Amino acid sequence: SSVDYERSRMNAAFIAAGSQYKQQLPQLTHNQQVARLYKHSLKTLGSWAVDRRVFNEEATKLRARFDANRNCAPDKANRLLREGKEELQEYTHPDPYRIPFMPGGSMFMRNPPLPMDVCFPDGDLPADAPKVTLNPDMSICKEETGKSAVGQVLVDFTSKSMA
């Protein structure tokens, strides 16, 4: 029907507009993927284990699981990585801990820094002015990290992250 056609055309327009703001993810090596899986696993563990003693015990067990499969065959390593991502997805906390000034945190964009061209419209920057551009999560803009918020940035509040 014409209503379905219009709806699909509007959805395509919204998807196209959103894709202009999405940043390309860097290609990661297997070691980088495993390191990120370990880091995300620890962050997820931190959302579940509030007590520091319990967190340290569980983190030690988690590290032992990663170390046990350190130098395995590539096929097994890929399978373990896939299973690890599935397990992480299964144990993801419904309301994970967020650093207060990051997207989804209680202080996110509470006092965002003004752009330098707004503060100094004539372009005459003082010597102590910041020399770097900041992302909305207050990290420094770097092309190599895939987080370079030059211009407008789309912040996805459903996943609480910069898209």
Side-chain angles (χ1 to χ4, degrees), residues 10 19 21 30 45 47 49 78 143 147:
M10 267 180 54
S19 67
Y21 293 105
H30 180 77
L45 179 61
S47 293
N78 289 330
E143 283 289 334
K147 289 177 69 174

Side-chain angles (χ1 to χ4, degrees), residues 61-110:
K61 293 176 189 174
L62 181 66
R63 181 63 192 211
R65 286 180 64 189
F66 274 82
D67 286 341
N69 297 301
R70 176 165 248 155
N71 294 318
C72 60
D75 291 339
K76 183 179 179 185
N78 289 330
R79 180 180 54 80
L80 288 170
L81 182 64
R82 185 181 68 252
E83 289 172 359
K85 288 179 181 179
E86 290 169 0
E87 185 177 345
L88 178 64
Q89 186 69 32
E90 179 183 334
Y91 287 112
T92 298
H93 197 281
D95 188 23
Y97 173 76
R98 298 281 180 199
I99 298 172
F101 57 84
M102 296 294 274
S106 59
M107 292 174 42
F108 178 65
M109 295 297 286
R110 185 176 289 174

Side-chain angles (χ1 to χ4, degrees), residues 39-78:
K39 180 179 176 182
H40 288 289
S41 299
L42 286 176
K43 286 181 183 241
T44 301
L45 179 61
S47 293
W48 287 105
V50 179
D51 184 29
R52 203 67 186 161
R53 184 183 53 78
V54 173
F55 174 82
N56 288 337
E57 290 172 6
E58 294 299 320
T60 302
K61 293 176 189 174
L62 181 66
R63 181 63 192 211
R65 286 180 64 189
F66 274 82
D67 286 341
N69 297 301
R70 176 165 248 155
N71 294 318
C72 60
D75 291 339
K76 183 179 179 185
N78 289 330

